Amino acid sequence: MSASTADWSSARSPATAAAGEAIATSCIHCGGDLGRFHDPADGPFCCRGCKSVHELLHAEDLTRYYDLKPGTVPPAPTLRPDSFAWLDRLIDGLPPTRREHGPWRLSMDLQGVHCAACVWLLEELFRREAGGQSLRINPTLGTVDLVWDPDRGDLRRYLAAVERFGYRLGPPSKTAPRRSRALLIRMAATIALALNVMMLSLSYYFGLAPGDGLLYEVFGWLGFGLSTVAVALGGSVFFRPAIAGLRRRVAHLDLPISIGMALAWAGSTAAFLTRGPEAAYFDTLTIFVALMLVGRWAREHLLERNRNSLLDDAGAEHLTTKRQTGAGLVAVPAVEVDRGDELWIAPGDLVPVDGVLLRREAQVALDWITGESERQDHVPGEVVPAGAFNASEHGFSVTATEGFATSRVQQLLRAPAVGPQDEFRPLWWHRVSTIYVAAVLAAAALGLMIWLPRDPGAALHVAVAVLVITCPCALGLATPLAEELTHHALRRRGVLLRTGDFLEKALHVRKLLLDKTGTLTFDELELAGESRRELDALDQESRSILRAITARSNHPVSKAIRGAVADAAPLEAAAVDDLRELPGRGLELARQGAVWRLGRPPFAAGEVEGKQGGEGLTVFARDGEPLARLRFDERLRPGAAEELHTLGAEGYELHLLSGDSPAKVRAMADRLHLDGDHARGGLDPEAKAARVRTLDARDTMMVGDGLNDAPSFEAALCAATPAVDRPVLPGKADFYFFGDGLQALRWSLGAARHLRRITRTNLALAVGYNLVALALALAGEVTPVVAAILMPVSSIGVVALTAWRLSERRASWTSS
């Protein structure tokens, strides 16, 4: 354990410093819950990303971050290294004189900023670079404008430093949040109109009467005009979707709000024209419109913030590769790649098209495109498939055998929208809206019929009072508030919702469809079963050799072994200068007359693959004599089995769908104690999507991390991904999540159920309030003054109750 980790108590976040008992349950970096399945051996961190960033902050004297950070932020992600090929395209777009001599003025998109502490950290890292001249960060939109002097420093060094802390910069593609900005303008204007109408109405409440001359008439018409403008300006936000929904035979929350506004305006106008300004409810009406806009803007603003927290790279236009030309390597959009182009694939970069490998061997990862967990080794002359990522420590060249337009990557990016995702119908609000509209109209008609024979003049007043007093203000404001608080609570836990209807969709989910590689597992291996004991039984020389040779290899097998022999005595660097890494076979070291090998059984010990249980084994041997036979498992996300067991106990049907081999998928199902009949392997993207459509009855949630899951995302009712470090998929998901575990699935589904309970309670309170208000209105006791008092009082009461029930201590789904 590093010194910074050991001395964690001195830099714990305010949330954990507030109470001693919180130290054992909260991550000292992000402040989030450690979770019920947290391994104490992992220390006081919720994930690898938080531990890594915490150590970096201490090592580089950046602990002021914790002074500026709020109590809880999303966990820090662990990002795959970026080659920054897109940066060359940005620089090439500068004028020639600027490109050569600077300064460079560049705009970029930014991923991962959540608070003022993030902004400070990015600015401090920039300040430490000699080439940095100016940096402007827009944390809401997720963009950066910077000025850089290329003669004084390499901009890639700053980008790499930022990446180590969990942030990522990319090419500019985000646009201003037009919808929330338009709502903000409408909201501000409507609030101003409401305040003016209230001042005009106060004059009537305090005695302005017809005998007071022209002022009485002017104030009345002003109130009518301003309230009409407010309804037209603010009400259109609700009228348009309500009308569109009716055309599709769907009623949702916007319908009762729209009808309430329209009826209140019509009734107040009728009262104004027949009985004078003092009988109108223009102040109550405009306040109602303003409050509805506040709720709608807050909801949209948070969704846009969540979308902007990641780079906008959901399409092919955001993929960049490097093409060899007569002038050298040139960064080009992947869509411009043609057959015959020579491409340079840097470590960590995507191979955009099928290509023949040139000059030197390469190792690639196919999990993003096929779901296969094992890396593949290729030698010159072999075809490297499109969608593979370079997993080698070096770059390699390929000759494209196809254009991007016909590549597998492009086919999956263009996966058509199938299934019900864009046709979701919120049946709950359909029923509520239908009942509300019918009840309000019936009550108004009842009031009119009761009073018409007794007092025709008062009959219209009573009918208007019914229409105004039953405006769904409490429900229309409390529901968006409840959604916003739920979004905030999920965001603090690293669950960021991208679509506004996910919380409604989640209530219908009954089946969870899970990808394997990268979703349930990390891109890592771990020693299985007896293998660790076999390593412990090795003599000291063998362990030292094993430590030395695995330290120089980036292969997943080497990484898994390296940790198990970390306590072995180190060898001098020169002792392993003759180490050879043979692609597809393993490692070989000739030292002091002996040949040490680590790799497949035929290479290491001359054994036939599959004999002596050798299939899937790695053998460590000296002069062909096996010293240890090692077996590996894919490393599961922490608490994965327990989380899935909990979800199964809650009634969710769990399915495992993967492109990896059926044998590996069955083995994974056994490890997770899943029904073997629900585990399918060897599925290509189309077959996986077909299986989703077979299972889906408007009740599936697909969870995946690779481009091969994109068609399945479209086929399922809703979708989620942990792949915040890979392009495309987050832009197709309903939500994405940070952290190492799978708690996000339980949290998101539990939050939706909790929100529904609160909404039902609010509805019951609204019904109770309306019954009392209706009784007063039918009795002729509701005047404009009474309405102006009742509406805000009822709204404040329901809003306060909603906020209290959604507090951390009251929300049962937040328990780890």
Side-chain angles (χ1 to χ4, degrees):
M1 181 177 292
S2 69
S4 61
T5 305
D7 191 23
W8 59 267
S9 60
S10 63
R12 59 183 184 268
S13 66
T16 57
E21 65 273 12
I23 294 174
T25 59
S26 300
C27 175
I28 64 170
H29 174 70
C30 70
D33 294 332
L34 293 180
R36 68 175 76 169
F37 307 122
H38 176 259
D39 185 350
D42 293 334
F45 300 100
C46 66
C47 62
R48 299 170 302 164
C50 284
K51 180 179 180 180
S52 175
V53 172
H54 178 84
E55 293 176 350
L56 278 172
L57 290 171
H58 280 77
E60 302 193 15
D61 193 23
L62 293 167
T63 54
R64 186 165 183 263
Y65 172 90
Y66 293 109
D67 298 328
L68 300 172
K69 184 183 76 69
T72 306
V73 294
T78 302
L79 301 179
R80 301 169 190 262
D82 189 356
S83 68
F84 311 117
W86 54 268
L87 182 59
D88 292 333
R89 289 177 58 192
L90 283 188
I91 296 172
D92 289 343
L94 296 173
T97 55
R98 290 287 188 187
R99 186 168 60 242
E100 296 297 329
H101 306 291
W104 295 341
R105 299 181 184 274
L106 301 172
S107 296
M108 303 178 185
D109 284 354
L110 175 63
Q111 170 178 314
V113 172
H114 303 291
C115 61
C118 296
V119 174
W120 173 84
L121 180 56
L122 291 168
E123 290 177 342
E124 179 63 17
L125 291 172
F126 190 82
R127 186 187 64 80
R128 295 182 179 188
E129 295 289 338
Q133 294 188 351
S134 172
L135 180 72
R136 283 194 312 162
I137 298 173
N138 183 334
T140 301
L141 185 56
T143 59
V144 166
D145 295 307
L146 61 83
V147 180
W148 187 271
D149 184 352
D151 294 329
R152 301 186 61 191
D154 186 355
L155 181 54
R156 285 177 177 79
R157 189 171 71 177
Y158 172 67
L159 300 183
V162 163
E163 194 175 73
R164 291 163 58 212
F165 288 90
Y167 308 101
R168 177 160 281 173
L169 290 161
S173 58
K174 295 177 182 177
T175 57
R178 296 179 180 177
R179 179 168 173 77
S180 65
R181 182 167 296 181
L183 283 171
L184 181 63
I185 294 172
R186 288 175 183 267
M187 180 182 72
T190 304
I191 290 174
L193 291 169
L195 292 174
N196 279 278
V197 172
M198 287 175 63
M199 288 190 293
L200 295 172
S201 298
L202 284 174
S203 62
Y204 297 106
Y205 298 157
F206 288 112
L208 185 64
D212 293 327
L214 184 62
L215 196 62
Y216 174 84
E217 297 289 337
V218 170
F219 277 20
W221 283 103
L222 276 175
F224 167 72
L226 293 176
S227 62
T228 301
V229 172
V231 171
L233 183 65
S236 61
V237 172
F238 304 92
F239 296 155
R240 284 194 295 267
I243 293 172
L246 288 175
R247 287 173 178 169
R248 293 179 293 152
R249 299 182 180 180
V250 175
H252 48 75
L253 182 59
D254 284 347
L255 182 61
I257 293 175
S258 299
I259 291 177
M261 288 181 185
L263 293 179
W265 178 85
S268 294
T269 299
F272 165 66
L273 295 176
T274 58
R275 302 189 64 187
E278 67 274 17
Y281 297 82
F282 292 135
D283 53 345
T284 304
L285 170 62
T286 53
I287 293 172
F288 172 57
V289 175
L291 290 176
M292 295 302 97
L293 281 175
V294 169
R296 182 58 51 88
W297 171 81
R299 176 174 175 267
E300 188 63 31
H301 175 70
L302 185 60
L303 285 173
E304 287 182 346
R305 183 184 174 192
N306 285 348
R307 296 186 193 112
N308 288 330
S309 290
L310 287 186
L311 299 181
D312 183 10
D313 55 5
E317 65 275 11
H318 301 293
L319 298 178
T320 298
T321 191
K322 286 192 173 182
R323 182 167 57 195
Q324 183 70 49
T325 67
L329 289 176
V330 177
V332 297
V335 294
E336 296 181 7
V337 173
D338 291 323
R339 182 176 181 178
D341 287 348
E342 182 176 332
L343 307 177
W344 171 255
I345 311 299
D349 274 3
L350 172 73
V351 181
V353 296
D354 287 350
V356 176
L357 184 63
L358 304 175
R359 291 182 284 279
R360 66 180 304 181
E361 72 286 343
Q363 186 179 90
V364 298
L366 297 175
D367 56 315
W368 191 66
I369 192 73
T370 67
E372 295 178 47
S373 56
E374 285 193 6
R375 297 183 178 182
Q376 288 189 358
D377 295 297
H378 292 273
V379 297
E382 293 183 345
V383 174
V384 180
F389 276 86
N390 182 3
S392 309
E393 294 181 333
H394 57 78
F396 59 81
S397 297
V398 296
T399 298
T401 60
E402 61 182 353
F404 186 78
T406 59
S407 77
R408 185 65 171 144
V409 172
Q410 177 70 326
Q411 291 172 12
L412 292 177
L413 286 173
R414 288 179 174 175
V418 293
Q421 192 167 35
D422 295 329
E423 302 176 0
F424 181 73
R425 298 292 185 259
L427 300 178
W428 157 258
W429 285 117
H430 178 83
R431 293 192 294 268
V432 171
S433 301
T434 302
I435 295 172
Y436 168 82
V437 172
V440 168
L441 293 177
L446 178 63
L448 192 67
M449 289 187 294
I450 291 175
W451 281 87
L452 195 60
R454 300 167 53 188
D455 186 348
L460 180 61
H461 169 77
V462 170
V464 171
V466 169
L467 296 176
V468 173
I469 206 69
T470 55
C471 278
C473 185
L475 190 59
L477 182 61
T479 298
L481 173 67
E483 290 181 352
E484 183 185 2
L485 292 175
T486 300
H487 284 210
H488 271 296
L490 287 170
R491 183 185 176 91
R492 286 195 299 271
R493 284 163 176 76
V495 183
L496 280 70
L497 305 188
R498 294 188 65 262
T499 59
D501 58 358
F502 168 74
L503 292 173
E504 189 71 35
K505 290 179 180 179
L507 296 170
H508 299 262
V509 171
R510 296 295 178 270
K511 304 184 188 81
L512 293 176
L513 316 180
L514 304 161
D515 175 50
K516 180 180 72 71
T517 308
T519 301
L520 297 176
T521 67
F522 293 123
D523 186 21
E524 299 174 6
L525 298 176
E526 60 184 5
L527 288 163
E530 299 289 328
S531 297
R532 185 173 293 274
R533 285 188 284 275
E534 288 205 33
L535 290 182
D536 292 339
L538 292 175
D539 60 59
Q540 188 59 44
E541 180 188 14
S542 299
R543 288 175 59 81
S544 294
I545 292 290
L546 197 53
R547 173 182 174 177
I549 63 176
T550 56
R552 295 204 174 189
S553 170
N554 199 38
H555 195 281
V557 167
S558 296
K559 291 181 179 179
I561 295 173
R562 194 182 305 156
V565 294
D567 59 344
L571 299 180
E572 294 182 2
V576 288
D577 283 345
D578 294 331
L579 177 69
R580 295 197 303 159
E581 184 164 5
L582 306 174
R585 290 185 286 174
L587 302 172
E588 179 183 88
L589 175 66
R591 180 175 184 269
Q592 296 178 353
V595 177
W596 303 81
R597 286 178 175 173
L598 175 70
R600 297 183 182 274
F603 166 71
E607 297 176 351
V608 178
E609 195 92 45
K611 292 291 184 68
Q612 301 180 31
E615 185 175 359
L617 288 182
T618 293
V619 173
F620 178 49
R622 175 177 177 171
D623 295 330
E625 183 67 28
L627 302 178
R629 290 185 172 88
L630 308 176
R631 190 178 296 278
F632 300 87
D633 288 328
E634 294 176 75
R635 184 184 172 193
L636 284 171
R637 290 180 176 269
E642 293 84 354
E643 286 290 347
L644 296 184
H645 174 76
T646 301
L647 289 167
E650 291 178 357
Y652 294 101
E653 188 177 300
L654 304 175
H655 292 260
L656 185 56
L657 308 177
S658 177
D660 212 348
S661 68
K664 290 185 178 181
V665 175
R666 285 193 299 271
M668 180 61 67
D670 290 341
R671 288 180 67 188
L672 295 171
H673 308 292
L674 299 180
D675 186 342
D677 293 336
H678 290 177
R680 300 289 181 92
L683 301 175
D684 63 24
E686 291 75 16
K688 185 183 287 190
R691 180 61 180 165
V692 173
R693 288 192 291 273
T694 299
L695 293 170
D696 184 62
R698 294 170 57 87
D699 63 351
T700 57
M701 182 163 79
M702 179 69 197
V703 188
D705 75 311
L707 183 59
N708 63 317
D709 295 313
S712 299
F713 273 35
E714 300 289 354
L717 174 66
C718 54
T721 181
V724 297
D725 64 335
R726 288 282 182 90
V728 179
L729 216 58
K732 296 178 178 290
D734 289 88
F735 73 89
Y736 57 92
F737 56 93
F738 298 96
D740 288 349
L742 295 174
Q743 306 96 312
L745 306 181
R746 176 166 47 87
W747 286 341
S748 60
L749 295 169
R753 296 193 300 269
H754 187 62
L755 177 63
R756 170 52 57 88
R757 289 192 292 270
I758 289 175
T759 302
R760 290 181 185 274
T761 301
N762 289 344
L763 180 60
L765 292 174
V767 169
Y769 157 78
N770 279 330
L771 288 176
V772 174
L774 275 175
L776 293 174
L778 293 175
E781 299 298 327
V782 175
T783 64
V785 177
V786 173
I789 294 173
L790 282 179
M791 190 200 67
V793 168
S794 65
S795 300
I796 292 172
V798 176
V799 164
L801 179 62
T802 298
W804 177 71
R805 291 192 65 192
L806 278 168
S807 64
E808 295 289 327
R809 290 175 295 178
R810 300 289 304 173
S812 58
W813 66 268
T814 61
S815 61
S816 295

